[in-house]
Amino acid sequence: MNYISKTIATAFIGLISMSATAQDLIASKAPADTKLKDIQLIQFNAFAPQTADLDNPAANIYSNWTRTISDAQGIVPANYKVDLRGFHMPTPSRQINSPYGRRWGRLHAGLDIKVYLGDTIRAAFDGKVRIVKYNAKGYGYYVVIRHPNGLETLYGHLSKQLVKEDQIVRAGDVIGLGGNTGRSFGSHLHFETRLLGQPVDPAFMFDFVNQDVTNDFYTVVKPMTNGNTNVMANAKKEEERPTQVNFIQFNRR
């Protein structure tokens, strides 16, 4: 630690040990621009997101809780904003082996990200685990998590699942290990993002190359329904052929 750092650290410790009266006196002598920064910080904290209900995440848009991927019913209102803040990248890998889109005559509903056997896979957001299953002809060992922002994330081809159904997780918690199970030709993570059981291209929201989200928010401009109106009518089993749904994304600034 250099001299300047030591001085700052000492000053900070000294300030903590002061009485409230002494701190108020110092604050009154502070330059105007410093006071303004304090006010801005208070305003920012006042508008910070409130703690979400993780026992029943996104209950404002979902009306059920099942163990089937596409059978997620509810209504997403027009101009619904998916809050991408508070994210954690599911893997530090930056290599995309296969993008979202048509592949081999059907929709590849997620991103294939290169990971190795046993690599740590983490939850992308706070949430509650909805599905922990195995599908030999599809995802292999996989996990689906519902998040308070309305998204559900799916993590496929795991070698091991480290969470249980109905378990509450936080962004960055370990939920499984990378693998090569199911319909897979080499170890990788199959990562999906869904709304009401419908796949959305994760690249709209997650930038694996830069290990960041693309925006603070992802806006759905068309109302979505899944319930009485079966938007998955043309789909087979969710592990085989999910329906592609198009959305519109707004920039964050």
Side-chain angles (χ1 to χ4, degrees):
M1 182 180 293
N2 59 35
Y3 175 76
I4 295 176
S5 299
K6 288 181 180 178
T7 303
I8 293 173
T10 303
F12 180 73
I13 293 170
L15 180 60
I16 293 176
S17 64
M18 289 181 181
S19 66
T21 302
Q23 292 183 35
D24 290 342
L25 179 61
I26 292 174
S28 67
K29 303 296 184 180
D33 59 343
T34 303
K35 294 180 183 179
L36 179 59
K37 289 180 181 178
D38 291 340
I39 294 172
Q40 290 173 338
L41 179 61
I42 292 171
Q43 289 176 338
F44 174 79
N45 290 335
F47 290 100
Q50 300 298 311
T51 303
D53 179 9
L54 295 181
D55 285 319
N56 194 14
N60 58 321
I61 64 173
Y62 287 93
S63 60
N64 69 342
W65 181 265
T66 70
R67 305 303 182 193
T68 304
I69 298 172
S70 61
D71 187 28
Q73 298 183 5
I75 299 176
V76 177
N79 300 317
Y80 179 79
K81 286 189 175 182
V82 178
D83 191 344
L84 301 178
R85 297 171 298 174
F87 77 100
H88 192 289
M89 298 302 290
T91 169
S93 175
R94 300 170 186 265
Q95 181 179 337
I96 306 298
N97 287 348
S98 183
Y100 179 100
R102 305 302 299 184
R103 189 179 71 174
W104 303 330
R106 63 181 182 178
L107 176 67
H108 180 238
L111 299 179
D112 286 349
I113 305 149
K114 180 58 184 177
V115 299
Y116 293 94
L117 184 66
D119 280 358
T120 300
I121 307 302
R122 300 179 183 274
F125 301 99
D126 294 353
K128 186 175 181 179
V129 179
R130 183 162 75 92
I131 303 172
V132 178
K133 285 186 178 180
Y134 176 75
N135 177 259
K137 296 181 179 180
Y139 296 122
Y141 290 109
Y142 70 100
V143 171
V144 176
I145 305 174
R146 181 174 295 177
H147 308 286
N149 63 8
L151 283 181
E152 290 192 321
T153 50
L154 182 151
Y155 312 78
H157 306 307
L158 304 174
S159 62
K160 189 172 184 179
Q161 299 143 314
L162 297 177
V163 290
K164 297 179 179 179
E165 290 178 343
D166 299 323
Q167 179 178 334
I168 291 174
V169 296
R170 296 289 182 175
D173 282 355
V174 179
I175 55 109
L177 301 178
N180 186 31
T181 59
R183 192 172 186 268
S184 174
F185 306 97
S187 59
H188 69 281
L189 171 67
H190 177 81
F191 179 67
E192 294 185 8
T193 48
R194 290 174 174 255
L195 268 173
L196 297 186
Q198 302 176 70
V200 183
D201 188 350
F204 289 163
M205 294 169 276
F206 285 86
D207 181 351
F208 280 88
V209 173
N210 293 305
Q211 289 288 292
D212 198 358
V213 286
T214 59
N215 299 292
D216 287 336
F217 296 91
Y218 176 87
T219 303
V220 181
V221 298
K222 291 183 179 180
M224 295 174 54
T225 61
N226 193 355
N228 293 332
T229 302
N230 186 5
V231 295
M232 301 294 290
N234 296 323
K236 296 182 179 180
K237 293 180 180 179
E238 66 277 2
E239 293 89 352
E240 297 177 2
R241 191 174 181 178
T243 300
Q244 183 174 5
V245 180
N246 295 320
F247 298 85
I248 296 177
Q249 171 194 19
F250 290 160
N251 292 328
R252 58 180 164 186
R253 288 187 180 89

